[in-house]
Amino acid sequence: MAQTQRNNLEIYDDVADRWWSDDIRWVRTLKNMVPGRLSWFDRQFDWQGKDVLDLGCAGGFMAEAIDDRGAHVTGIDPAKEAIAAASAHAKSEGKTIRYDVGVGEALPYPDASFDAVVCVDVLEHVQSLPKVISEVRRVLRPGGMFLFDTINRNPIARLATITMAEDVLKLLPKGTHDPDMFIKPSELRAELETAGFAVGQMVGLGPRGINGKGDFTFGRVPGTMIIYMGTARKTDQTGA
């Protein structure tokens, strides 16, 4: 029996032509998570008129939502077809979002380019977490905000995101995540503080209800055992 490929990033290109169609359940799940994230992020940051980078933007769900809040948005992702889909949809909606193909370990932007960097459902996929955090800090302006979410590393998170979400409920394609790449909040906090961030509160994100299509809706949940969101502000000095 063939072993499942883990951390399979090809899934985003594979469905790029249907990203905005609402006919793929796991893509709808990603779309449904955006309001839940923003219900908390909106209270941490005023998007209006700000330059914001959506790091790991895939087909553009978060980028368009932030654009709707009045930000000047740039999206970047290694999935070329997903970026093409995001760009085409933004154009069809009359949005002026810039989209680039690239990775978080080597962002193609000058120092101090953005007021905020948003990075959701990404940190648990990257090849080098320290490099990504360093690059995020580099492209942020002084006092800039990093807003993120990722998956905790523990048996309960593995059960929820691999066994249940991928294998049983089929909310995500099999092989989407590698549980060994999940990140404990204490580990992420340490990486951020070493890089020169003042780390804020971390809060839980998870299912809160079911919509008319039978899909989960998302929002704040008690505890950070599975998915957690957080913010970090760029400071003047690194802790290293």
Side-chain angles (χ1 to χ4, degrees), residues 29-30 33 36-37 41 119-122 124 148-154 156-158 160-161 165 171-172 177 182-183 185 202-207 218-230:
T29 298
L30 297 183
M33 293 182 80
R37 289 163 168 147
F41 286 164
C119 187
V120 296
D121 189 26
V122 171
E124 70 274 16
F148 57 85
D149 73 32
T150 192
I151 302 174
N152 203 337
R153 191 178 71 254
N154 57 62
I156 292 175
R158 181 174 185 144
T161 59
L171 295 177
L172 294 168
H177 292 107
F182 293 168
I183 309 164
M202 294 186 185
V203 302
L205 171 68
F218 293 84
R220 282 276 307 274
V221 295
T224 57
M225 186 65 72
I226 301 174
I227 304 173
Y228 61 96
M229 303 181 284

Short mmCIF file of all heavy atoms in Angstrom, two decimals, residues 29-30 33 36-37 41 119-122 124 148-154 156-158 160-161 165 171-172 177 182-183 185 202-207 218-230:
data_model
loop_
_atom_site.label_atom_id
_atom_site.label_comp_id
_atom_site.label_asym_id
_atom_site.label_seq_id
_atom_site.Cartn_x
_atom_site.Cartn_y
_atom_site.Cartn_z
N THR A 29 -14.25 24.92 2.88
CA THR A 29 -13.81 24.96 4.29
C THR A 29 -12.79 26.06 4.49
O THR A 29 -12.87 26.84 5.46
CB THR A 29 -13.23 23.60 4.71
OG1 THR A 29 -14.24 22.60 4.62
CG2 THR A 29 -12.72 23.66 6.15
N LEU A 30 -11.81 26.15 3.60
CA LEU A 30 -10.81 27.22 3.70
C LEU A 30 -11.46 28.59 3.61
O LEU A 30 -11.11 29.52 4.34
CB LEU A 30 -9.76 27.07 2.61
CG LEU A 30 -8.91 25.79 2.63
CD1 LEU A 30 -7.87 25.84 1.53
CD2 LEU A 30 -8.25 25.59 3.98
N MET A 33 -13.22 29.65 6.77
CA MET A 33 -12.37 30.00 7.91
C MET A 33 -12.01 31.48 7.91
O MET A 33 -11.65 32.03 8.97
CB MET A 33 -11.09 29.16 7.89
CG MET A 33 -11.33 27.69 8.16
SD MET A 33 -9.82 26.70 8.21
CE MET A 33 -9.24 27.07 9.88
N GLY A 36 -14.03 33.73 10.34
CA GLY A 36 -13.67 33.40 11.72
C GLY A 36 -12.34 34.01 12.12
O GLY A 36 -12.18 34.50 13.24
N ARG A 37 -11.38 33.97 11.20
CA ARG A 37 -10.08 34.59 11.48
C ARG A 37 -10.22 36.10 11.62
O ARG A 37 -9.70 36.71 12.55
CB ARG A 37 -9.11 34.26 10.36
CG ARG A 37 -8.66 32.82 10.34
CD ARG A 37 -8.04 32.42 9.01
NE ARG A 37 -7.35 31.14 9.10
CZ ARG A 37 -7.27 30.27 8.11
NH1 ARG A 37 -7.84 30.53 6.94
NH2 ARG A 37 -6.61 29.13 8.28
N PHE A 41 -8.92 39.06 14.01
CA PHE A 41 -7.88 39.93 13.46
C PHE A 41 -8.35 41.38 13.35
O PHE A 41 -7.57 42.31 13.56
CB PHE A 41 -7.45 39.45 12.07
CG PHE A 41 -6.58 38.21 12.06
CD1 PHE A 41 -6.41 37.49 10.89
CD2 PHE A 41 -5.93 37.76 13.20
CE1 PHE A 41 -5.61 36.36 10.85
CE2 PHE A 41 -5.13 36.63 13.18
CZ PHE A 41 -4.97 35.93 12.00
N CYS A 119 -0.52 35.65 7.65
CA CYS A 119 0.01 34.34 7.30
C CYS A 119 -0.85 33.27 7.96
O CYS A 119 -0.63 32.95 9.14
CB CYS A 119 1.47 34.25 7.74
SG CYS A 119 2.34 32.77 7.20
N VAL A 120 -1.84 32.75 7.23
CA VAL A 120 -2.78 31.79 7.82
C VAL A 120 -2.68 30.45 7.10
O VAL A 120 -2.55 30.39 5.88
CB VAL A 120 -4.23 32.33 7.78
CG1 VAL A 120 -4.35 33.58 8.65
CG2 VAL A 120 -4.69 32.64 6.37
N ASP A 121 -2.72 29.38 7.89
CA ASP A 121 -2.62 28.02 7.34
C ASP A 121 -1.35 27.85 6.50
O ASP A 121 -1.37 27.24 5.45
CB ASP A 121 -3.87 27.70 6.50
CG ASP A 121 -3.94 26.24 6.07
OD1 ASP A 121 -3.36 25.39 6.77
OD2 ASP A 121 -4.53 25.96 5.01
N VAL A 122 -0.25 28.42 6.97
CA VAL A 122 0.99 28.41 6.19
C VAL A 122 2.20 27.95 7.00
O VAL A 122 3.01 27.15 6.52
CB VAL A 122 1.27 29.83 5.63
CG1 VAL A 122 2.66 29.91 5.00
CG2 VAL A 122 0.22 30.23 4.61
N GLU A 124 2.82 25.90 9.22
CA GLU A 124 3.01 24.46 9.40
C GLU A 124 3.41 23.75 8.10
O GLU A 124 3.58 22.53 8.08
CB GLU A 124 1.76 23.80 10.00
CG GLU A 124 0.57 23.74 9.08
CD GLU A 124 -0.31 24.99 9.10
OE1 GLU A 124 0.15 26.04 9.60
OE2 GLU A 124 -1.45 24.90 8.61
N PHE A 148 -1.21 35.79 12.35
CA PHE A 148 -0.98 34.43 11.88
C PHE A 148 -1.94 33.45 12.54
O PHE A 148 -2.57 33.73 13.56
CB PHE A 148 0.46 34.01 12.20
CG PHE A 148 0.81 34.11 13.65
CD1 PHE A 148 0.52 33.07 14.53
CD2 PHE A 148 1.40 35.26 14.17
CE1 PHE A 148 0.83 33.17 15.88
CE2 PHE A 148 1.72 35.37 15.52
CZ PHE A 148 1.43 34.32 16.37
N ASP A 149 -2.05 32.28 11.92
CA ASP A 149 -2.56 31.12 12.64
C ASP A 149 -1.81 29.89 12.16
O ASP A 149 -1.19 29.88 11.09
CB ASP A 149 -4.08 30.95 12.52
CG ASP A 149 -4.57 30.49 11.16
OD1 ASP A 149 -3.86 29.74 10.47
OD2 ASP A 149 -5.68 30.87 10.78
N THR A 150 -1.82 28.85 12.97
CA THR A 150 -1.16 27.60 12.63
C THR A 150 -1.73 26.50 13.51
O THR A 150 -2.67 26.73 14.29
CB THR A 150 0.37 27.72 12.75
OG1 THR A 150 1.00 26.58 12.14
CG2 THR A 150 0.82 27.86 14.19
N ILE A 151 -1.18 25.30 13.40
CA ILE A 151 -1.72 24.14 14.11
C ILE A 151 -0.74 23.70 15.21
O ILE A 151 0.46 23.59 14.97
CB ILE A 151 -1.96 22.97 13.13
CG1 ILE A 151 -2.94 23.41 12.01
CG2 ILE A 151 -2.54 21.76 13.87
CD1 ILE A 151 -3.12 22.36 10.93
N ASN A 152 -1.29 23.47 16.38
CA ASN A 152 -0.51 23.01 17.51
C ASN A 152 -0.02 21.57 17.27
O ASN A 152 -0.63 20.83 16.49
CB ASN A 152 -1.37 23.07 18.78
CG ASN A 152 -0.56 23.17 20.05
OD1 ASN A 152 0.60 22.78 20.09
ND2 ASN A 152 -1.18 23.68 21.10
N ARG A 153 1.07 21.20 17.93
CA ARG A 153 1.61 19.84 17.79
C ARG A 153 1.39 19.06 19.07
O ARG A 153 2.05 19.29 20.09
CB ARG A 153 3.11 19.88 17.44
CG ARG A 153 3.66 18.50 17.02
CD ARG A 153 5.12 18.54 16.62
NE ARG A 153 6.01 18.74 17.76
CZ ARG A 153 6.65 19.88 18.02
NH1 ARG A 153 6.48 20.95 17.24
NH2 ARG A 153 7.44 19.97 19.07
N ASN A 154 0.44 18.15 19.02
CA ASN A 154 0.12 17.28 20.14
C ASN A 154 -0.82 16.19 19.63
O ASN A 154 -1.34 16.29 18.51
CB ASN A 154 -0.51 18.08 21.30
CG ASN A 154 -1.76 18.81 20.86
OD1 ASN A 154 -2.73 18.19 20.45
ND2 ASN A 154 -1.74 20.14 20.94
N ILE A 156 -3.89 15.39 20.30
CA ILE A 156 -5.27 15.82 20.02
C ILE A 156 -5.34 16.57 18.69
O ILE A 156 -6.25 16.36 17.89
CB ILE A 156 -5.81 16.68 21.18
CG1 ILE A 156 -5.97 15.81 22.44
CG2 ILE A 156 -7.13 17.33 20.81
CD1 ILE A 156 -6.38 16.57 23.67
N ALA A 157 -4.37 17.46 18.44
CA ALA A 157 -4.34 18.19 17.17
C ALA A 157 -4.16 17.23 16.01
O ALA A 157 -4.77 17.39 14.95
CB ALA A 157 -3.23 19.23 17.19
N ARG A 158 -3.31 16.23 16.20
CA ARG A 158 -3.11 15.23 15.14
C ARG A 158 -4.40 14.47 14.87
O ARG A 158 -4.77 14.24 13.70
CB ARG A 158 -1.99 14.27 15.55
CG ARG A 158 -1.69 13.22 14.49
CD ARG A 158 -0.49 12.37 14.86
NE ARG A 158 -0.16 11.46 13.79
CZ ARG A 158 1.08 11.11 13.46
NH1 ARG A 158 2.10 11.63 14.11
NH2 ARG A 158 1.30 10.26 12.48
N ALA A 160 -7.46 15.50 15.38
CA ALA A 160 -8.46 16.39 14.78
C ALA A 160 -8.15 16.72 13.33
O ALA A 160 -9.05 16.73 12.48
CB ALA A 160 -8.57 17.68 15.60
N THR A 161 -6.89 17.03 13.03
CA THR A 161 -6.55 17.56 11.70
C THR A 161 -6.15 16.48 10.70
O THR A 161 -6.33 16.68 9.50
CB THR A 161 -5.42 18.59 11.80
OG1 THR A 161 -4.27 17.98 12.39
CG2 THR A 161 -5.84 19.78 12.64
N ALA A 165 -10.13 15.30 10.09
CA ALA A 165 -10.34 16.23 8.98
C ALA A 165 -9.94 15.64 7.62
O ALA A 165 -10.61 15.86 6.62
CB ALA A 165 -9.57 17.53 9.23
N LEU A 171 -12.56 16.73 5.10
CA LEU A 171 -12.58 18.19 5.04
C LEU A 171 -11.36 18.73 4.31
O LEU A 171 -11.38 19.85 3.79
CB LEU A 171 -12.64 18.78 6.45
CG LEU A 171 -13.89 18.49 7.27
CD1 LEU A 171 -13.75 19.09 8.66
CD2 LEU A 171 -15.13 19.02 6.57
N LEU A 172 -10.30 17.94 4.29
CA LEU A 172 -9.06 18.30 3.59
C LEU A 172 -8.59 17.09 2.81
O LEU A 172 -8.84 15.94 3.20
CB LEU A 172 -7.98 18.73 4.58
CG LEU A 172 -8.23 20.01 5.37
CD1 LEU A 172 -7.20 20.13 6.50
CD2 LEU A 172 -8.15 21.22 4.45
N HIS A 177 -1.40 17.83 5.41
CA HIS A 177 -0.50 18.22 6.51
C HIS A 177 0.44 17.09 6.90
O HIS A 177 0.12 15.91 6.75
CB HIS A 177 -1.30 18.63 7.74
CG HIS A 177 -2.07 19.90 7.57
ND1 HIS A 177 -3.43 19.93 7.42
CD2 HIS A 177 -1.65 21.19 7.53
CE1 HIS A 177 -3.83 21.19 7.29
NE2 HIS A 177 -2.77 21.97 7.36
N PHE A 182 3.80 20.49 12.64
CA PHE A 182 2.97 21.35 13.48
C PHE A 182 3.85 22.05 14.52
O PHE A 182 4.94 21.58 14.84
CB PHE A 182 1.87 20.54 14.17
CG PHE A 182 0.83 19.97 13.22
CD1 PHE A 182 -0.07 19.02 13.66
CD2 PHE A 182 0.75 20.38 11.91
CE1 PHE A 182 -1.04 18.50 12.82
CE2 PHE A 182 -0.21 19.86 11.05
CZ PHE A 182 -1.11 18.91 11.51
N ILE A 183 3.38 23.18 15.05
CA ILE A 183 4.21 24.06 15.87
C ILE A 183 3.50 24.36 17.20
O ILE A 183 2.38 24.86 17.21
CB ILE A 183 4.47 25.39 15.14
CG1 ILE A 183 5.01 25.14 13.72
CG2 ILE A 183 5.44 26.26 15.94
CD1 ILE A 183 4.93 26.35 12.81
N PRO A 185 2.65 26.51 20.46
CA PRO A 185 2.66 27.95 20.70
C PRO A 185 3.93 28.44 21.38
O PRO A 185 4.45 29.51 21.04
CB PRO A 185 1.43 28.16 21.58
CG PRO A 185 0.51 27.04 21.23
CD PRO A 185 1.41 25.87 20.94
N MET A 202 -2.34 34.61 22.18
CA MET A 202 -2.69 33.56 21.23
C MET A 202 -4.02 32.97 21.66
O MET A 202 -4.24 32.69 22.83
CB MET A 202 -1.60 32.49 21.18
CG MET A 202 -0.28 33.00 20.61
SD MET A 202 0.94 31.68 20.39
CE MET A 202 2.39 32.62 19.87
N VAL A 203 -4.91 32.79 20.68
CA VAL A 203 -6.27 32.34 20.97
C VAL A 203 -6.65 31.19 20.04
O VAL A 203 -6.06 31.02 18.97
CB VAL A 203 -7.28 33.49 20.81
CG1 VAL A 203 -6.94 34.66 21.72
CG2 VAL A 203 -7.35 33.97 19.36
N GLY A 204 -7.65 30.42 20.45
CA GLY A 204 -8.07 29.26 19.68
C GLY A 204 -8.98 29.62 18.52
O GLY A 204 -9.77 30.57 18.57
N LEU A 205 -8.89 28.83 17.44
CA LEU A 205 -9.75 28.94 16.27
C LEU A 205 -10.29 27.55 15.96
O LEU A 205 -9.54 26.57 15.97
CB LEU A 205 -8.95 29.46 15.07
CG LEU A 205 -9.64 29.45 13.70
CD1 LEU A 205 -10.79 30.46 13.66
CD2 LEU A 205 -8.63 29.75 12.59
N GLY A 206 -11.60 27.46 15.69
CA GLY A 206 -12.16 26.15 15.38
C GLY A 206 -13.60 26.24 14.94
O GLY A 206 -14.17 27.34 14.81
N PRO A 207 -14.25 25.09 14.68
CA PRO A 207 -15.65 25.08 14.24
C PRO A 207 -16.58 25.64 15.30
O PRO A 207 -16.43 25.36 16.49
CB PRO A 207 -15.92 23.58 14.01
CG PRO A 207 -14.59 22.94 13.85
CD PRO A 207 -13.66 23.74 14.71
N PHE A 218 -16.56 28.92 11.32
CA PHE A 218 -15.44 28.98 12.24
C PHE A 218 -15.40 30.29 13.03
O PHE A 218 -15.94 31.31 12.60
CB PHE A 218 -14.12 28.81 11.48
CG PHE A 218 -13.95 27.45 10.87
CD1 PHE A 218 -14.51 27.14 9.65
CD2 PHE A 218 -13.25 26.47 11.55
CE1 PHE A 218 -14.37 25.88 9.09
CE2 PHE A 218 -13.09 25.20 11.01
CZ PHE A 218 -13.65 24.91 9.77
N GLY A 219 -14.72 30.23 14.17
CA GLY A 219 -14.53 31.41 14.99
C GLY A 219 -13.68 31.05 16.20
O GLY A 219 -13.09 29.98 16.28
N ARG A 220 -13.65 31.98 17.16
CA ARG A 220 -12.90 31.76 18.40
C ARG A 220 -13.45 30.56 19.15
O ARG A 220 -14.67 30.38 19.25
CB ARG A 220 -13.01 33.00 19.29
CG ARG A 220 -12.13 34.18 18.90
CD ARG A 220 -10.73 34.06 19.46
NE ARG A 220 -10.69 33.84 20.89
CZ ARG A 220 -10.73 34.81 21.81
NH1 ARG A 220 -10.83 36.08 21.44
NH2 ARG A 220 -10.66 34.52 23.10
N VAL A 221 -12.54 29.74 19.68
CA VAL A 221 -12.94 28.63 20.55
C VAL A 221 -12.04 28.66 21.78
O VAL A 221 -10.93 29.21 21.75
CB VAL A 221 -12.81 27.26 19.84
CG1 VAL A 221 -13.78 27.16 18.68
CG2 VAL A 221 -11.38 27.01 19.38
N PRO A 222 -12.50 28.07 22.89
CA PRO A 222 -11.65 28.05 24.09
C PRO A 222 -10.42 27.17 23.87
O PRO A 222 -10.52 26.08 23.32
CB PRO A 222 -12.57 27.43 25.16
CG PRO A 222 -13.95 27.57 24.62
CD PRO A 222 -13.82 27.50 23.14
N GLY A 223 -9.28 27.66 24.29
CA GLY A 223 -8.07 26.85 24.25
C GLY A 223 -7.37 26.88 22.90
O GLY A 223 -7.98 27.14 21.86
N THR A 224 -6.08 26.59 22.91
CA THR A 224 -5.24 26.62 21.72
C THR A 224 -4.71 25.23 21.39
O THR A 224 -3.67 25.09 20.76
CB THR A 224 -4.05 27.59 21.93
OG1 THR A 224 -3.31 27.17 23.09
CG2 THR A 224 -4.54 29.02 22.13
N MET A 225 -5.45 24.20 21.78
CA MET A 225 -4.97 22.83 21.65
C MET A 225 -4.83 22.39 20.19
O MET A 225 -3.95 21.59 19.86
CB MET A 225 -5.92 21.88 22.38
CG MET A 225 -5.46 20.43 22.44
SD MET A 225 -3.95 20.22 23.40
CE MET A 225 -4.57 20.47 25.06
N ILE A 226 -5.67 22.93 19.29
CA ILE A 226 -5.64 22.47 17.90
C ILE A 226 -5.15 23.59 16.99
O ILE A 226 -3.97 23.64 16.65
CB ILE A 226 -7.03 21.94 17.48
CG1 ILE A 226 -7.43 20.78 18.41
CG2 ILE A 226 -7.00 21.46 16.03
CD1 ILE A 226 -8.81 20.26 18.21
N ILE A 227 -6.01 24.51 16.58
CA ILE A 227 -5.58 25.65 15.77
C ILE A 227 -5.53 26.89 16.65
O ILE A 227 -6.43 27.10 17.48
CB ILE A 227 -6.56 25.91 14.60
CG1 ILE A 227 -6.72 24.66 13.73
CG2 ILE A 227 -6.06 27.07 13.71
CD1 ILE A 227 -7.80 24.80 12.66
N TYR A 228 -4.50 27.69 16.49
CA TYR A 228 -4.41 28.92 17.28
C TYR A 228 -3.99 30.09 16.40
O TYR A 228 -3.26 29.95 15.43
CB TYR A 228 -3.47 28.76 18.47
CG TYR A 228 -2.02 28.44 18.13
CD1 TYR A 228 -1.06 29.44 18.05
CD2 TYR A 228 -1.62 27.12 17.90
CE1 TYR A 228 0.27 29.14 17.76
CE2 TYR A 228 -0.29 26.81 17.61
CZ TYR A 228 0.64 27.83 17.54
OH TYR A 228 1.95 27.53 17.24
N MET A 229 -4.52 31.26 16.76
CA MET A 229 -4.21 32.52 16.08
C MET A 229 -3.40 33.40 17.01
O MET A 229 -3.48 33.27 18.24
CB MET A 229 -5.49 33.28 15.71
CG MET A 229 -6.47 32.53 14.86
SD MET A 229 -7.95 33.51 14.44
CE MET A 229 -8.85 33.42 16.00
N GLY A 230 -2.64 34.32 16.44
CA GLY A 230 -1.88 35.24 17.26
C GLY A 230 -1.41 36.45 16.49
O GLY A 230 -1.60 36.55 15.26
#
